[in-house]
Structures are given as structure tokens and as C-alpha cells.
């Protein structure tokens, strides 16, 4: 559903100076921020995540991390507030570290401010019920075994099974009743492994692809265990044959590099 749009907007390339841009219409719907231009490029010349809902110049509203007003100086707009001044340009920083820069220099008066306030309102909702997913369909809470079974069938995950080892929340009070674990891991082995992780949260399945790749999430190992790398290998031998230690590179430097890249 279209909510707001701005005409004659310039979109600048990410790695170039703001001297040339493509002209088009910038739109805000209840799902995404979309830049529509007649200057389309061949798919062989561009690189982006091609999905049915999002194109080259589209970004989901839930992916918007921060908004900045462009002028003599870049100034961040805080969520929950309206922009009352004239908007000359807009800098959109996404959670996947993508950056989009727009100029309203040739747009009709008021288009930039209207679109910016609309984006502020819908990209940063005050209640999660205002997210697009609640308008689109009923949100699955994964409280029943059937919900997990449907998700496993949708992702076509192989080598995993549904376990009710935490049905009475005896293993972990912060995990759901039903857990997706490797097929060759027995329930007693999972309970035994949970004792070595904070809050009793051992490695558990979150998502997988039909090709076999899986995303596994776990808590940190309890601080009383000193040889952390050995314990990581011991518990993950049922999940993957290869394990790379994240401690080979200082975590503080990784975090600093991420913050610098996101604020670029």
C-alpha cells in the first residue's frame, strides 16, 4: 500500500561523490522504501539480493537502521520525532550495512519532508503490532510442535529432528518447549551438553537451506570452563565437521570495525 512519494528525486551511487545521480520517484509503502527509475541496468551489471518482493533499489522498512539529514553537515534524525525543517537530502543506513543517499533538490516543495516523516513513522514503529507482518498474515509464535514441523518442511532441512526434551522447561527456562536438534543427537546427550552453556542453551537449529547449510545458535560456555575451544569442538561435532575459532581475532577490534563501517 503506497503511503507517500517524492517526485524528481536523485539517488547517488554509494562509492562516488554526490555529483551525479539517477532521477526517479522515491516511494514509501507499508512494507518497503522503493526508488523507481527509468534508468534500469542489466542484471549482469549489478549485484544485489534479488527477491520477489525487493528489487535493486528497494529496502524493507524493518531493515532501516538510521536516517540522516544531508546538508552542510550530516545530522541524525531520532525515531519518534517529526522533521519540521526543509529536507534537502536523506541518508538511509540499513542494518545490513547498505547505504542509500537521496537528494530532493529538484523535488516539489514539501515532498522531501513529507516522505522523511512518513519513513520515520513506519520504519520505527512504537509497537511491534504495527509491523508489516501483522497486516500481512498472522504471526506464528512457534509454541506448538506443528508450527516447527511446518517450518522444517518449508526450509527442507535434512538431518534434523524435533525434540520435546525441554517440554517442562527443565533444561532451560528461556528456550521453547520444542527444539530442533541433529537427528543423531539423543535427548539425554542434549541435556548433558546444556549444562556446559549459560542458561542451559546448547547449540540449536534456527534455519537451513535445501542444499544442507544450517544456521545454529547457542549461548556462551559457562565461565568455569577454561579450555573453551576444546569444549566448542566437543559439543559441535554433531553439527559440523569444521570449526573455526572466533578468538583468533580480538573481539573488540571486530566490534570497532563494524561500528566504523556502519557509521560510514
Amino acid at each position: 500500500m503506497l503511503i507517500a512519494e517524492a517526485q524528481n528525486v536523485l539517488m547517488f551511487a554509494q562509492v562516488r561523490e554526490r555529483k551525479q545521480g539517477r532521477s526517479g520517484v522515491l516511494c514509501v509503502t507499508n512494507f518497503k522504501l522503493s526508488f523507481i527509475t527509468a534508468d534500469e541496468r542489466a542484471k549482469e551489471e549489478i549485484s544485489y539480493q534479488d527477491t520477489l518482493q525487493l528489487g535493486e533499489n528497494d529496502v524493507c522498512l524493518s531493515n532501516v537502521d538510521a536516517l540522516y539529514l544531508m546538508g552542510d553537515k550530516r545530522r541524525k534524525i531520532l525515531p519518534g520525532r517529526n522533521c519540521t525543517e526543509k529536507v534537502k537530502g536523506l541518508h538511509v543506513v540499513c542494518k545490513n550495512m547498505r547505504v542509500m543517499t537521496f537528494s530532493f533538490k529538484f523535488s516539489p516543495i514539501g515532498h522531501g519532508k513529507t516522505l522523511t516523516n512518513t519513513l520515520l513513522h513506519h520504519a520505527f514503529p512504537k509497537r511491534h503490532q504495527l509491523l508489516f507482518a501483522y497486516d500481512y498474515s498472522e504471526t506464528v509464535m512457534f509454541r506448538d510442535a506443528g508450527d516447527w514441523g511446518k517450518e522444517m518442511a518449508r526450509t527442507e532441512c535434512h538431518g534434523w529432528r524435533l525434540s520435546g526434551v525441554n517440554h517442562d522447561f527443565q533444561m532451560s527456562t528461556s528456550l521453547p518447549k520444542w527444539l530442533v536438534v541433529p537427528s543423531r543427537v539423543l535427548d539425554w546427550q542434549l541435556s548433558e551438553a546444556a549444562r556446559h552453556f549459560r542458561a542451559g542453551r546448547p547449540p540449536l537449529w534456527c534455519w537451513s537451506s535445501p542444499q544442507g547449510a544450517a544456521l545454529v545458535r547457542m549461548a556462551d560456555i559457562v565461565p568455569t570452563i577454561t579450555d573453551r575451544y576444546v569444549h566448542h569442538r566437543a559439543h559441535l561435532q554433531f553439527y559440523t565437521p569444521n570449526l573455526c575459532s572466533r578468538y583468533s581475532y580480538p573481539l573488540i577490534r571486530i566490534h570497532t570495525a563494524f561500528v566504523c563501517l556502519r557509521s560510514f
Side-chain angles (χ1 to χ4, degrees), residues 148 160 174-176 180 197 201-207 214-220 236 239:
W148 285 105
W160 301 84
S174 59
L175 289 175
V180 180
F197 293 87
R201 300 173 66 95
L204 298 173
W205 177 89
C206 297
W207 174 88
L215 180 63
V216 178
R217 183 175 62 180
M218 65 180 181
D220 194 11
L236 293 180
Y239 297 79

Side-chain angles (χ1 to χ4, degrees), residues 163-192:
S163 171
V165 65
N166 197 43
H167 192 269
D168 295 328
F169 301 103
Q170 294 182 355
M171 188 180 78
S172 176
T173 57
S174 59
L175 289 175
K177 294 181 179 180
W178 299 96
L179 308 173
V180 180
V181 300
S183 300
R184 55 178 176 168
V185 176
L186 303 178
D187 286 351
W188 70 268
Q189 292 176 313
L190 195 66
S191 299
E192 181 69 17

Side-chain angles (χ1 to χ4, degrees), residues 2 41 43 48 55 66 86 94-95 122 132 140 159 167 185 191 214 218-219 227 251 264:
L2 180 63
R41 294 179 292 175
K43 287 191 175 183
Y48 67 97
K86 180 180 179 181
C94 302
K95 296 175 182 176
H122 290 275
F132 173 78
V140 179
H167 192 269
V185 176
S191 299
M218 65 180 181
D227 199 342
L251 292 180
F264 175 73

Side-chain angles (χ1 to χ4, degrees), residues 12-32:
F12 300 107
Q14 298 186 29
V15 294
R16 299 179 183 177
E17 296 183 2
R18 296 190 296 272
K19 294 182 179 180
Q20 288 184 333
R22 289 187 291 168
S23 179
V25 180
L26 187 61
C27 304
V28 176
T29 71
N30 61 334
F31 171 65
K32 64 183 179 180

Side-chain angles (χ1 to χ4, degrees), residues 196-198 218-236 243-247 251:
H196 299 92
F197 293 87
R198 291 181 183 269
M218 65 180 181
D220 194 11
I221 291 179
V222 294
T224 55
I225 298 178
T226 56
D227 199 342
R228 305 163 66 86
Y229 184 70
V230 172
H231 274 78
H232 270 106
R233 291 192 65 90
H235 292 302
L236 293 180
L243 179 66
C244 298
S245 175
R246 66 187 175 95
Y247 298 101
L251 292 180

